[in-house]
């Protein structure tokens, strides 16, 4: 069964750093673009970042560019999201997803980040 | 990048059809085939139901269909069932090499 499982969330103070992990199973991430998407409580999803299969191409939403970094370890089938200078408005459930035809497929259950003093 | 515009809600009786619109610009919806739709039930993760405007992932019923005209994409749910009551979001690739989601539509099965 193909699935992804996110981890690494928690409560942090504004200005802190945190790294999220996404463990994939049932498929090899090296063949896919991988995405991060977030959803604040009561709000709709917001695309955050994506990276291609070999890690040579990545893109970010304006709201996180320069603060977040996406990376991957194809050998271990893992995707990461390094987050720095966290803000209150970064509070959300963060989802990892595998690409299908330019869309986000195979979402995980997400991991909650709460940024609060 | 502004969110794509969707109606806040749509409703229909069981067995009927409901169509949701998703309006963007020529820099996103109108310019690319990478328009997708997601279904989200309360407390659950979004689920991809349409990609590349009109394709369905394996396992998604053919009651769900997608189309596009100019800068507006459409999702039609035919033969409404109780379990179709959920939030629906569109999403499009953009000229800036980013993705933008829609504002979301709550489908109510009467």
């Amino acid at each position: 069964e193909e699935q992804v499982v996110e981890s690494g969330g928690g409560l942090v103070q504004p200005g802190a750093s945190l790294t999220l992990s996404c463990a994939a199973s049932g498929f090899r991430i090296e063949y896919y673009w991988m995405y991060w998407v977030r959803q604040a409580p009561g709000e709709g999803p917001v695309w955050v970042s994506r990276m291609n299969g070999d890690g040579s191409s990545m893109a970010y939403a304006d709201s996180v560019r320069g603060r977040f970094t996406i990376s991957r370890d194809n050998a271990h089938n893992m995707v990461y999201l390094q987050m720095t200078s966290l803000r209150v408005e970064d509070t959300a459930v963060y989802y990892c997803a595998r690409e299908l035809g330019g869309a986000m497929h195979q979402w995980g259950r997400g991991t909650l980040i709460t940024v609060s003093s | 990048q502004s969110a794509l515009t969707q109606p806040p809600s749509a409703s229909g009786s069981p067995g009927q059809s409901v169509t949701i619109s998703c309006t963007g610009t020529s820099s996103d919806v109108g310019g690319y085939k990478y328009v997708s739709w997601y279904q989200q039930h309360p407390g659950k993760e979004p689920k991809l139901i349409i990609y590349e405007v009109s394709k369905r992932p394996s396992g998604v019923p053919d009651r769900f269909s997608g189309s596009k005209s100019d800068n507006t994409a459409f999702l039609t749910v035919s033969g409404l069932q109780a379990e179709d009551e959920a939030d629906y979001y569109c999403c499009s690739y953009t000229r800036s090499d980013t993705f933008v989601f829609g504002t979301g539509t709550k489908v109510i099965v009467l």
Side-chain angles (χ1 to χ4, degrees):
Chain A
E1 178 189 7
E2 298 181 352
Q3 66 174 355
V4 298
V5 177
E6 305 89 342
S7 61
L11 173 63
V12 297
Q13 293 189 331
S17 299
L18 199 63
T19 296
L20 305 183
S21 299
C22 169
S25 59
F27 67 97
R28 298 298 305 172
I29 65 167
E30 63 189 303
Y31 301 121
Y32 297 97
W33 287 81
M34 296 295 293
Y35 295 81
W36 286 99
V37 178
R38 69 185 182 185
Q39 187 168 25
E43 303 291 323
V46 175
W47 176 81
V48 172
S49 182
R50 73 166 181 169
M51 174 176 270
N52 68 344
D54 64 10
S56 62
S57 178
M58 60 207 76
Y60 299 94
D62 290 346
S63 58
V64 307
R65 188 176 296 115
R67 299 188 299 123
F68 291 12
T69 302
I70 189 172
S71 62
R72 62 200 293 153
D73 179 348
N74 286 346
H76 292 92
N77 234 28
M78 297 286 296
V79 182
Y80 304 97
L81 186 68
Q82 297 172 270
M83 305 182 295
T84 64
S85 302
L86 282 163
R87 305 167 180 168
V88 171
E89 54 265 35
D90 294 320
T91 294
V93 175
Y94 284 72
Y95 296 99
C96 173
R98 193 202 91 188
E99 185 263 356
L100 173 65
M104 287 131 255
H105 189 36
Q106 295 300 138
W107 297 59
R109 300 294 294 275
T111 187
L112 175 63
I113 308 299
T114 303
V115 185
S116 175
S117 55
Chain B
Q1 180 74 52
S2 298
L4 306 175
T5 301
Q6 299 180 233
S9 65
S11 62
S13 299
Q16 291 187 330
S17 295
V18 63
T19 296
I20 303 167
S21 61
C22 167
T23 301
T25 69
S26 59
S27 295
D28 38 64
V29 174
Y32 302 94
K33 68 176 183 178
Y34 299 116
V35 176
S36 51
W37 289 89
Y38 302 84
Q39 177 192 62
Q40 187 175 31
H41 289 106
K44 303 281 290 196
E45 68 274 15
K47 174 187 175 184
L48 177 66
I49 55 173
I50 295 289
Y51 68 100
E52 290 185 9
V53 176
S54 59
K55 297 179 180 179
R56 285 184 306 275
S58 175
V60 173
D62 60 6
R63 304 185 294 103
F64 294 92
S65 62
S67 63
K68 189 179 79 163
S69 177
D70 296 326
N71 297 338
T72 300
F74 301 93
L75 172 71
T76 297
V77 186
S78 305
L80 266 176
Q81 300 182 3
E83 58 263 36
D84 298 333
E85 185 160 298
D87 293 324
Y88 291 80
Y89 297 94
C90 61
C91 182
S92 175
Y93 179 72
T94 82
R95 182 177 61 184
S96 303
D97 192 26
T98 62
F99 289 80
V100 60
F101 279 88
T103 51
T105 299
K106 182 174 183 62
V107 169
I108 301 166
V109 181
L110 301 170

Short mmCIF file of all heavy atoms in Angstrom, two decimals, chain A residues 33 35 37 39 43-47 50 57-62 65 95 100-110, chain B residues 1 33-36 38 40 43-48 50-52 57-58 89 91 93 96-103:
data_model
loop_
_atom_site.label_atom_id
_atom_site.label_comp_id
_atom_site.label_asym_id
_atom_site.label_seq_id
_atom_site.Cartn_x
_atom_site.Cartn_y
_atom_site.Cartn_z
N TRP A 33 7.75 13.94 -8.19
CA TRP A 33 7.75 15.20 -7.49
C TRP A 33 7.06 14.95 -6.14
O TRP A 33 6.11 14.18 -6.05
CB TRP A 33 6.95 16.26 -8.25
CG TRP A 33 7.60 16.79 -9.48
CD1 TRP A 33 7.62 16.20 -10.71
CD2 TRP A 33 8.29 18.02 -9.61
NE1 TRP A 33 8.28 17.00 -11.60
CE2 TRP A 33 8.71 18.14 -10.95
CE3 TRP A 33 8.58 19.07 -8.73
CZ2 TRP A 33 9.42 19.23 -11.44
CZ3 TRP A 33 9.28 20.17 -9.21
CH2 TRP A 33 9.70 20.24 -10.55
N TYR A 35 5.44 17.02 -2.63
CA TYR A 35 4.90 18.32 -2.24
C TYR A 35 4.74 18.45 -0.73
O TYR A 35 4.55 17.45 -0.04
CB TYR A 35 3.50 18.50 -2.82
CG TYR A 35 3.39 18.55 -4.32
CD1 TYR A 35 3.39 17.39 -5.08
CD2 TYR A 35 3.26 19.77 -4.98
CE1 TYR A 35 3.27 17.44 -6.45
CE2 TYR A 35 3.12 19.83 -6.35
CZ TYR A 35 3.12 18.65 -7.09
OH TYR A 35 2.98 18.71 -8.45
N VAL A 37 2.07 20.78 1.63
CA VAL A 37 0.89 21.63 1.63
C VAL A 37 0.49 21.86 3.09
O VAL A 37 0.63 20.95 3.91
CB VAL A 37 -0.28 20.97 0.88
CG1 VAL A 37 -1.54 21.86 0.93
CG2 VAL A 37 0.10 20.69 -0.57
N GLN A 39 -2.46 23.57 6.00
CA GLN A 39 -3.85 23.97 6.17
C GLN A 39 -4.03 24.49 7.60
O GLN A 39 -3.92 23.73 8.56
CB GLN A 39 -4.79 22.80 5.90
CG GLN A 39 -6.26 23.17 5.88
CD GLN A 39 -7.13 22.05 5.33
OE1 GLN A 39 -6.77 20.87 5.37
NE2 GLN A 39 -8.30 22.40 4.79
N GLU A 43 -9.33 26.73 7.72
CA GLU A 43 -9.03 27.33 6.42
C GLU A 43 -8.83 26.26 5.35
O GLU A 43 -8.82 25.07 5.65
CB GLU A 43 -7.76 28.19 6.52
CG GLU A 43 -7.83 29.29 7.57
CD GLU A 43 -8.81 30.38 7.20
OE1 GLU A 43 -8.92 30.70 6.00
OE2 GLU A 43 -9.51 30.89 8.11
N GLY A 44 -8.67 26.70 4.11
CA GLY A 44 -8.42 25.76 3.04
C GLY A 44 -6.94 25.44 2.92
O GLY A 44 -6.09 26.07 3.55
N PRO A 45 -6.61 24.44 2.10
CA PRO A 45 -5.21 24.08 1.91
C PRO A 45 -4.45 25.21 1.20
O PRO A 45 -5.02 25.96 0.40
CB PRO A 45 -5.27 22.83 1.03
CG PRO A 45 -6.68 22.39 1.04
CD PRO A 45 -7.51 23.59 1.32
N VAL A 46 -3.15 25.28 1.50
CA VAL A 46 -2.26 26.24 0.85
C VAL A 46 -1.00 25.49 0.43
O VAL A 46 -0.36 24.85 1.28
CB VAL A 46 -1.90 27.41 1.79
CG1 VAL A 46 -0.86 28.32 1.13
CG2 VAL A 46 -3.15 28.21 2.16
N TRP A 47 -0.65 25.57 -0.84
CA TRP A 47 0.57 24.92 -1.31
C TRP A 47 1.79 25.61 -0.73
O TRP A 47 1.84 26.85 -0.65
CB TRP A 47 0.60 24.97 -2.84
CG TRP A 47 1.85 24.43 -3.42
CD1 TRP A 47 2.17 23.12 -3.63
CD2 TRP A 47 2.99 25.18 -3.86
NE1 TRP A 47 3.42 23.01 -4.17
CE2 TRP A 47 3.95 24.27 -4.33
CE3 TRP A 47 3.29 26.54 -3.91
CZ2 TRP A 47 5.17 24.66 -4.84
CZ3 TRP A 47 4.51 26.94 -4.42
CH2 TRP A 47 5.43 26.01 -4.87
N ARG A 50 7.51 22.23 -3.48
CA ARG A 50 7.63 20.96 -4.17
C ARG A 50 9.07 20.78 -4.65
O ARG A 50 9.80 21.74 -4.85
CB ARG A 50 6.66 20.85 -5.33
CG ARG A 50 6.99 21.67 -6.57
CD ARG A 50 6.16 21.21 -7.75
NE ARG A 50 6.48 21.96 -8.97
CZ ARG A 50 6.05 21.62 -10.18
NH1 ARG A 50 5.29 20.54 -10.34
NH2 ARG A 50 6.37 22.34 -11.23
N SER A 57 15.31 20.45 -8.79
CA SER A 57 14.37 21.55 -9.01
C SER A 57 13.41 21.65 -7.84
O SER A 57 12.84 20.65 -7.40
CB SER A 57 13.58 21.32 -10.30
OG SER A 57 12.62 22.35 -10.51
N MET A 58 13.23 22.86 -7.34
CA MET A 58 12.32 23.07 -6.22
C MET A 58 11.64 24.41 -6.38
O MET A 58 12.13 25.30 -7.09
CB MET A 58 13.07 22.98 -4.90
CG MET A 58 14.17 23.99 -4.73
SD MET A 58 15.47 23.38 -3.63
CE MET A 58 16.34 22.24 -4.71
N ALA A 59 10.49 24.55 -5.72
CA ALA A 59 9.75 25.80 -5.79
C ALA A 59 9.06 26.03 -4.45
O ALA A 59 8.79 25.07 -3.71
CB ALA A 59 8.71 25.77 -6.91
N TYR A 60 8.80 27.30 -4.17
CA TYR A 60 8.23 27.67 -2.88
C TYR A 60 7.13 28.72 -3.05
O TYR A 60 7.18 29.55 -3.96
CB TYR A 60 9.30 28.27 -1.97
CG TYR A 60 10.43 27.32 -1.65
CD1 TYR A 60 11.60 27.31 -2.40
CD2 TYR A 60 10.33 26.43 -0.58
CE1 TYR A 60 12.63 26.43 -2.12
CE2 TYR A 60 11.35 25.56 -0.28
CZ TYR A 60 12.51 25.56 -1.06
OH TYR A 60 13.53 24.69 -0.77
N ALA A 61 6.18 28.70 -2.13
CA ALA A 61 5.20 29.78 -2.06
C ALA A 61 5.90 31.05 -1.59
O ALA A 61 6.88 30.99 -0.84
CB ALA A 61 4.09 29.40 -1.09
N ASP A 62 5.40 32.19 -2.02
CA ASP A 62 6.01 33.47 -1.64
C ASP A 62 6.08 33.61 -0.12
O ASP A 62 7.04 34.17 0.41
CB ASP A 62 5.19 34.63 -2.22
CG ASP A 62 5.32 34.75 -3.72
OD1 ASP A 62 6.24 34.12 -4.30
OD2 ASP A 62 4.50 35.47 -4.32
N ARG A 65 9.20 31.41 1.03
CA ARG A 65 10.47 31.46 0.32
C ARG A 65 11.51 32.20 1.15
O ARG A 65 11.26 33.28 1.67
CB ARG A 65 10.30 32.11 -1.05
CG ARG A 65 11.55 32.02 -1.93
CD ARG A 65 11.29 32.60 -3.32
NE ARG A 65 10.27 31.84 -4.04
CZ ARG A 65 9.08 32.35 -4.38
NH1 ARG A 65 8.76 33.59 -4.04
NH2 ARG A 65 8.22 31.61 -5.04
N TYR A 95 0.99 18.82 5.41
CA TYR A 95 0.83 17.55 4.72
C TYR A 95 1.93 17.36 3.69
O TYR A 95 2.36 18.31 3.02
CB TYR A 95 -0.50 17.52 3.96
CG TYR A 95 -1.75 17.58 4.79
CD1 TYR A 95 -2.45 18.78 4.96
CD2 TYR A 95 -2.27 16.43 5.38
CE1 TYR A 95 -3.62 18.83 5.69
CE2 TYR A 95 -3.45 16.48 6.11
CZ TYR A 95 -4.12 17.68 6.26
OH TYR A 95 -5.28 17.72 6.99
N LEU A 100 0.86 13.41 -8.89
CA LEU A 100 0.22 12.66 -9.96
C LEU A 100 -0.31 13.68 -10.96
O LEU A 100 -1.21 14.46 -10.63
CB LEU A 100 -0.94 11.81 -9.44
CG LEU A 100 -1.78 11.11 -10.52
CD1 LEU A 100 -0.94 10.09 -11.28
CD2 LEU A 100 -3.00 10.42 -9.90
N GLY A 101 0.26 13.70 -12.15
CA GLY A 101 -0.22 14.60 -13.19
C GLY A 101 -0.32 16.05 -12.74
O GLY A 101 -1.31 16.73 -13.00
N GLY A 102 0.72 16.53 -12.07
CA GLY A 102 0.71 17.92 -11.65
C GLY A 102 -0.26 18.21 -10.51
O GLY A 102 -0.67 19.35 -10.30
N ALA A 103 -0.64 17.18 -9.79
CA ALA A 103 -1.55 17.34 -8.65
C ALA A 103 -0.98 16.61 -7.45
O ALA A 103 -0.03 15.85 -7.54
CB ALA A 103 -2.93 16.79 -8.99
N MET A 104 -1.58 16.88 -6.29
CA MET A 104 -1.12 16.29 -5.04
C MET A 104 -1.94 15.05 -4.71
O MET A 104 -3.14 15.14 -4.43
CB MET A 104 -1.23 17.33 -3.91
CG MET A 104 -0.18 18.41 -4.02
SD MET A 104 -0.86 20.09 -3.88
CE MET A 104 -0.78 20.64 -5.58
N HIS A 105 -1.30 13.90 -4.78
CA HIS A 105 -1.94 12.60 -4.59
C HIS A 105 -1.30 11.92 -3.40
O HIS A 105 -0.20 12.28 -2.99
CB HIS A 105 -1.74 11.78 -5.87
CG HIS A 105 -2.51 10.51 -5.92
ND1 HIS A 105 -3.77 10.36 -5.41
CD2 HIS A 105 -2.20 9.31 -6.47
CE1 HIS A 105 -4.18 9.13 -5.63
NE2 HIS A 105 -3.26 8.48 -6.26
N GLN A 106 -1.93 10.96 -2.83
CA GLN A 106 -1.40 10.19 -1.71
C GLN A 106 -0.99 11.11 -0.55
O GLN A 106 0.19 11.17 -0.17
CB GLN A 106 -0.20 9.34 -2.13
CG GLN A 106 -0.52 8.24 -3.11
CD GLN A 106 -1.52 7.24 -2.59
OE1 GLN A 106 -2.42 6.81 -3.29
NE2 GLN A 106 -1.41 6.87 -1.32
N TRP A 107 -1.94 11.82 0.01
CA TRP A 107 -1.66 12.70 1.14
C TRP A 107 -1.47 11.87 2.41
O TRP A 107 -2.10 10.83 2.61
CB TRP A 107 -2.82 13.66 1.38
CG TRP A 107 -3.11 14.62 0.27
CD1 TRP A 107 -3.44 14.31 -1.02
CD2 TRP A 107 -3.15 16.04 0.37
NE1 TRP A 107 -3.66 15.45 -1.74
CE2 TRP A 107 -3.50 16.53 -0.91
CE3 TRP A 107 -2.93 16.95 1.40
CZ2 TRP A 107 -3.62 17.89 -1.18
CZ3 TRP A 107 -3.08 18.30 1.13
CH2 TRP A 107 -3.41 18.76 -0.14
N GLY A 108 -0.64 12.39 3.32
CA GLY A 108 -0.54 11.79 4.63
C GLY A 108 -1.62 12.35 5.55
O GLY A 108 -2.46 13.15 5.12
N ARG A 109 -1.59 11.96 6.80
CA ARG A 109 -2.55 12.46 7.79
C ARG A 109 -2.16 13.84 8.30
O ARG A 109 -2.96 14.53 8.93
CB ARG A 109 -2.67 11.50 8.96
CG ARG A 109 -3.14 10.10 8.57
CD ARG A 109 -4.55 10.10 8.06
NE ARG A 109 -5.51 10.45 9.07
CZ ARG A 109 -6.04 9.60 9.94
NH1 ARG A 109 -5.69 8.33 9.93
NH2 ARG A 109 -6.94 10.02 10.82
N GLY A 110 -0.91 14.24 8.04
CA GLY A 110 -0.46 15.57 8.43
C GLY A 110 0.16 15.61 9.81
O GLY A 110 -0.01 14.70 10.63
N GLN B 1 -0.15 35.77 -4.96
CA GLN B 1 -1.07 34.96 -5.74
C GLN B 1 -2.39 34.83 -4.97
O GLN B 1 -2.43 34.25 -3.89
CB GLN B 1 -0.48 33.57 -5.98
CG GLN B 1 -1.35 32.64 -6.79
CD GLN B 1 -1.41 32.99 -8.26
OE1 GLN B 1 -0.38 33.14 -8.92
NE2 GLN B 1 -2.60 33.11 -8.80
N LYS B 33 -2.98 22.95 -18.14
CA LYS B 33 -3.86 21.79 -17.97
C LYS B 33 -3.81 21.23 -16.56
O LYS B 33 -4.52 20.30 -16.21
CB LYS B 33 -3.48 20.69 -18.96
CG LYS B 33 -2.13 20.04 -18.69
CD LYS B 33 -1.87 18.89 -19.66
CE LYS B 33 -0.56 18.17 -19.36
NZ LYS B 33 -0.33 17.04 -20.27
N TYR B 34 -2.95 21.80 -15.71
CA TYR B 34 -2.75 21.25 -14.37
C TYR B 34 -3.75 21.84 -13.38
O TYR B 34 -3.37 22.58 -12.46
CB TYR B 34 -1.32 21.46 -13.91
CG TYR B 34 -0.32 20.77 -14.81
CD1 TYR B 34 0.61 21.51 -15.55
CD2 TYR B 34 -0.34 19.38 -14.96
CE1 TYR B 34 1.49 20.86 -16.39
CE2 TYR B 34 0.54 18.74 -15.80
CZ TYR B 34 1.46 19.48 -16.51
OH TYR B 34 2.33 18.85 -17.35
N VAL B 35 -5.00 21.53 -13.60
CA VAL B 35 -6.07 21.90 -12.67
C VAL B 35 -6.53 20.63 -11.99
O VAL B 35 -6.79 19.62 -12.64
CB VAL B 35 -7.25 22.57 -13.39
CG1 VAL B 35 -8.39 22.85 -12.40
CG2 VAL B 35 -6.80 23.86 -14.08
N SER B 36 -6.63 20.67 -10.68
CA SER B 36 -7.02 19.50 -9.91
C SER B 36 -8.12 19.86 -8.91
O SER B 36 -8.34 21.03 -8.61
CB SER B 36 -5.81 18.90 -9.18
OG SER B 36 -5.10 19.90 -8.45
N TYR B 38 -10.02 18.49 -5.11
CA TYR B 38 -9.84 17.71 -3.90
C TYR B 38 -11.12 17.70 -3.08
O TYR B 38 -11.82 18.71 -2.99
CB TYR B 38 -8.69 18.29 -3.06
CG TYR B 38 -7.40 18.34 -3.83
CD1 TYR B 38 -7.12 19.43 -4.68
CD2 TYR B 38 -6.48 17.30 -3.77
CE1 TYR B 38 -5.97 19.46 -5.43
CE2 TYR B 38 -5.32 17.33 -4.52
CZ TYR B 38 -5.07 18.42 -5.35
OH TYR B 38 -3.93 18.45 -6.10
N GLN B 40 -12.58 16.96 0.78
CA GLN B 40 -12.12 16.86 2.16
C GLN B 40 -13.30 16.73 3.11
O GLN B 40 -14.14 17.63 3.20
CB GLN B 40 -11.26 18.07 2.55
CG GLN B 40 -10.63 17.92 3.93
CD GLN B 40 -9.67 19.06 4.26
OE1 GLN B 40 -9.86 20.19 3.82
NE2 GLN B 40 -8.64 18.76 5.04
N GLY B 43 -12.07 16.75 9.48
CA GLY B 43 -11.03 16.05 10.24
C GLY B 43 -10.14 15.12 9.44
O GLY B 43 -9.30 14.43 10.02
N LYS B 44 -10.35 15.10 8.12
CA LYS B 44 -9.55 14.21 7.28
C LYS B 44 -8.65 15.02 6.35
O LYS B 44 -8.85 16.22 6.15
CB LYS B 44 -10.47 13.32 6.43
CG LYS B 44 -11.43 12.51 7.25
CD LYS B 44 -10.79 11.30 7.86
CE LYS B 44 -10.46 10.30 6.79
NZ LYS B 44 -10.18 8.95 7.31
N GLU B 45 -7.66 14.33 5.76
CA GLU B 45 -6.83 14.97 4.78
C GLU B 45 -7.57 15.10 3.46
O GLU B 45 -8.49 14.33 3.18
CB GLU B 45 -5.52 14.17 4.59
CG GLU B 45 -5.70 12.81 3.94
CD GLU B 45 -6.04 11.71 4.92
OE1 GLU B 45 -6.42 11.99 6.08
OE2 GLU B 45 -5.92 10.54 4.50
N PRO B 46 -7.18 16.09 2.64
CA PRO B 46 -7.78 16.20 1.31
C PRO B 46 -7.50 14.95 0.48
O PRO B 46 -6.47 14.29 0.66
CB PRO B 46 -7.09 17.42 0.71
CG PRO B 46 -6.64 18.22 1.89
CD PRO B 46 -6.25 17.19 2.91
N LYS B 47 -8.42 14.66 -0.42
CA LYS B 47 -8.29 13.51 -1.32
C LYS B 47 -8.39 13.99 -2.75
O LYS B 47 -9.34 14.69 -3.11
CB LYS B 47 -9.39 12.49 -1.03
CG LYS B 47 -9.43 11.32 -2.01
CD LYS B 47 -10.64 10.45 -1.78
CE LYS B 47 -10.77 9.35 -2.83
NZ LYS B 47 -12.01 8.55 -2.66
N LEU B 48 -7.43 13.63 -3.58
CA LEU B 48 -7.44 14.01 -5.00
C LEU B 48 -8.54 13.26 -5.72
O LEU B 48 -8.60 12.03 -5.67
CB LEU B 48 -6.08 13.68 -5.63
CG LEU B 48 -5.94 13.97 -7.14
CD1 LEU B 48 -6.03 15.45 -7.41
CD2 LEU B 48 -4.62 13.39 -7.65
N ILE B 50 -9.78 14.73 -9.05
CA ILE B 50 -9.62 15.08 -10.46
C ILE B 50 -8.24 15.72 -10.63
O ILE B 50 -7.84 16.56 -9.83
CB ILE B 50 -10.68 16.08 -10.96
CG1 ILE B 50 -12.08 15.48 -10.93
CG2 ILE B 50 -10.33 16.59 -12.37
CD1 ILE B 50 -12.34 14.41 -11.98
N TYR B 51 -7.51 15.30 -11.68
CA TYR B 51 -6.26 15.95 -12.02
C TYR B 51 -6.19 16.20 -13.53
O TYR B 51 -6.97 15.59 -14.28
CB TYR B 51 -5.05 15.14 -11.53
CG TYR B 51 -4.85 13.81 -12.24
CD1 TYR B 51 -3.90 13.68 -13.25
CD2 TYR B 51 -5.60 12.68 -11.89
CE1 TYR B 51 -3.70 12.48 -13.89
CE2 TYR B 51 -5.40 11.48 -12.53
CZ TYR B 51 -4.44 11.38 -13.53
OH TYR B 51 -4.25 10.17 -14.16
N GLU B 52 -5.31 17.07 -13.94
CA GLU B 52 -5.21 17.46 -15.35
C GLU B 52 -6.59 17.74 -15.93
O GLU B 52 -6.97 17.22 -16.98
CB GLU B 52 -4.47 16.38 -16.16
CG GLU B 52 -3.00 16.34 -15.82
CD GLU B 52 -2.21 15.34 -16.70
OE1 GLU B 52 -2.80 14.83 -17.68
OE2 GLU B 52 -1.04 15.10 -16.40
N PRO B 57 -8.13 9.77 -10.65
CA PRO B 57 -7.21 8.75 -10.13
C PRO B 57 -7.95 7.42 -9.98
O PRO B 57 -9.18 7.39 -9.88
CB PRO B 57 -6.81 9.30 -8.76
CG PRO B 57 -7.13 10.76 -8.81
CD PRO B 57 -8.30 10.87 -9.72
N SER B 58 -7.19 6.37 -9.96
CA SER B 58 -7.76 5.05 -9.76
C SER B 58 -8.60 5.01 -8.48
O SER B 58 -8.17 5.51 -7.44
CB SER B 58 -6.65 4.01 -9.67
OG SER B 58 -7.15 2.75 -9.37
N TYR B 89 -12.09 21.57 -3.02
CA TYR B 89 -11.14 22.62 -3.36
C TYR B 89 -10.57 22.36 -4.74
O TYR B 89 -10.18 21.24 -5.05
CB TYR B 89 -9.99 22.66 -2.36
CG TYR B 89 -10.40 23.00 -0.95
CD1 TYR B 89 -10.68 21.99 -0.02
CD2 TYR B 89 -10.49 24.32 -0.52
CE1 TYR B 89 -11.05 22.30 1.28
CE2 TYR B 89 -10.86 24.64 0.77
CZ TYR B 89 -11.15 23.62 1.67
OH TYR B 89 -11.50 23.94 2.96
N CYS B 91 -7.46 23.50 -7.51
CA CYS B 91 -6.05 23.90 -7.42
C CYS B 91 -5.50 24.02 -8.82
O CYS B 91 -5.86 23.23 -9.71
CB CYS B 91 -5.26 22.87 -6.60
SG CYS B 91 -3.51 23.29 -6.38
N TYR B 93 -1.82 24.97 -11.22
CA TYR B 93 -0.43 25.40 -11.42
C TYR B 93 -0.48 26.83 -11.95
O TYR B 93 -1.43 27.24 -12.61
CB TYR B 93 0.24 24.47 -12.42
CG TYR B 93 1.67 24.82 -12.74
CD1 TYR B 93 2.68 24.60 -11.79
CD2 TYR B 93 2.03 25.36 -13.96
CE1 TYR B 93 4.00 24.91 -12.08
CE2 TYR B 93 3.34 25.67 -14.25
CZ TYR B 93 4.32 25.45 -13.30
OH TYR B 93 5.62 25.76 -13.59
N SER B 96 3.97 31.38 -12.20
CA SER B 96 5.12 31.61 -11.31
C SER B 96 5.75 30.31 -10.83
O SER B 96 6.59 30.34 -9.92
CB SER B 96 4.65 32.42 -10.09
OG SER B 96 4.07 33.64 -10.49
N ASP B 97 5.36 29.18 -11.42
CA ASP B 97 5.86 27.86 -11.00
C ASP B 97 5.46 27.57 -9.55
O ASP B 97 6.24 27.02 -8.76
CB ASP B 97 7.38 27.75 -11.15
CG ASP B 97 7.88 26.31 -11.00
OD1 ASP B 97 7.10 25.37 -11.26
OD2 ASP B 97 9.06 26.13 -10.57
N THR B 98 4.27 27.98 -9.21
CA THR B 98 3.70 27.68 -7.90
C THR B 98 2.31 27.08 -8.12
O THR B 98 1.89 26.89 -9.26
CB THR B 98 3.56 28.95 -7.03
OG1 THR B 98 2.67 29.87 -7.70
CG2 THR B 98 4.92 29.62 -6.81
N PHE B 99 1.64 26.77 -7.04
CA PHE B 99 0.28 26.26 -7.12
C PHE B 99 -0.62 27.14 -6.25
O PHE B 99 -0.18 27.64 -5.20
CB PHE B 99 0.20 24.81 -6.63
CG PHE B 99 0.85 23.83 -7.58
CD1 PHE B 99 2.22 23.65 -7.59
CD2 PHE B 99 0.08 23.08 -8.46
CE1 PHE B 99 2.82 22.76 -8.46
CE2 PHE B 99 0.66 22.17 -9.34
CZ PHE B 99 2.03 22.02 -9.34
N VAL B 100 -1.85 27.30 -6.67
CA VAL B 100 -2.81 28.07 -5.89
C VAL B 100 -4.10 27.27 -5.75
O VAL B 100 -4.58 26.68 -6.72
CB VAL B 100 -3.08 29.45 -6.53
CG1 VAL B 100 -3.64 29.33 -7.93
CG2 VAL B 100 -3.97 30.29 -5.64
N PHE B 101 -4.60 27.22 -4.53
CA PHE B 101 -5.86 26.53 -4.25
C PHE B 101 -7.03 27.51 -4.33
O PHE B 101 -6.86 28.73 -4.28
CB PHE B 101 -5.83 25.92 -2.85
CG PHE B 101 -5.10 24.61 -2.77
CD1 PHE B 101 -3.74 24.57 -2.53
CD2 PHE B 101 -5.79 23.41 -2.91
CE1 PHE B 101 -3.06 23.36 -2.46
CE2 PHE B 101 -5.13 22.19 -2.82
CZ PHE B 101 -3.76 22.17 -2.60
N GLY B 102 -8.21 26.93 -4.45
CA GLY B 102 -9.43 27.72 -4.44
C GLY B 102 -9.89 28.00 -3.03
O GLY B 102 -9.35 27.47 -2.06
N THR B 103 -10.92 28.82 -2.92
CA THR B 103 -11.46 29.24 -1.64
C THR B 103 -12.30 28.16 -0.97
O THR B 103 -12.58 28.24 0.22
CB THR B 103 -12.29 30.50 -1.79
OG1 THR B 103 -13.25 30.31 -2.87
CG2 THR B 103 -11.41 31.70 -2.14
#
